[in-house]
Amino acid sequence: MGADKTDASNIKSKLGTYLPLLWLFSIPVLNVFYGHLNNGSGNVGNLMTDLDNLIPFLPVFIIPYLFWYPFIFGMFIVLFLKDRAVYYRSLIALCAGLISCYLIYATYQTTVPRPSIIDNSWLTGLVKFVYAADKPFNCFPSIHVLTSYIVLKASYRCSFGRKARTAIVIAAWSIIISTLFVKQHALLDVAGAVLLSEALVFTLKLNRFRNRKPSKEIHFHEL
């Protein structure tokens, strides 16, 4: 009986250890607002530039574009296992970023013109699937870029080996540039997402510093 109780206690303890992963469900919960706002109602802007028009449409980049889904959730699980503090701060930054994006979409809606697709290869089939599932709005800033960049920044605060870090960098930047080559976003969408990510990460660092400062001052006076 004693052994059974010990085993049950160990199982509960292990389950309790992984309960914070449930906070990842905040991402799909917030994503409900994305679908509600992705309708192009009202005045719709266009941030395409001459440089955007020079970027070719390359269907092969739909692969890293779709890889975004397992990459984000997989990386958050890895961050959770590597460094719990980084996991929490990154998730807060990501959720704050999503809310910021939705507020922007609600007040300033933009679109990106999509190319005409003629051939019927499996890659263009995937592009057509994405186009059908995601209307060409909610563009500035790019959520694909925002989330990938936040995860990339978080990876620098964890002790990854050289090969793992290289793989993360390649995956993150492949996703970021894929948004341009599959014509889901414009260059300004990418720039806006990177700037927003940097602002959110900096704000979290600043708040952490402010929260620690009083305790250091108290310790100094005690000395």
Side-chain angles (χ1 to χ4, degrees), residues 8-27:
S9 177
N10 288 336
I11 292 172
K12 287 182 179 180
S13 177
K14 288 180 179 179
L15 289 175
T17 300
Y18 292 100
L19 277 178
L21 283 172
L22 293 177
W23 285 110
L24 287 175
F25 284 104
S26 59
I27 299 174

Side-chain angles (χ1 to χ4, degrees), residues 1 17 29 80 136 145 184 193 210:
M1 290 293 291
T17 300
V29 169
F80 174 83
V145 175
Q184 281 287 85
R210 285 175 176 172

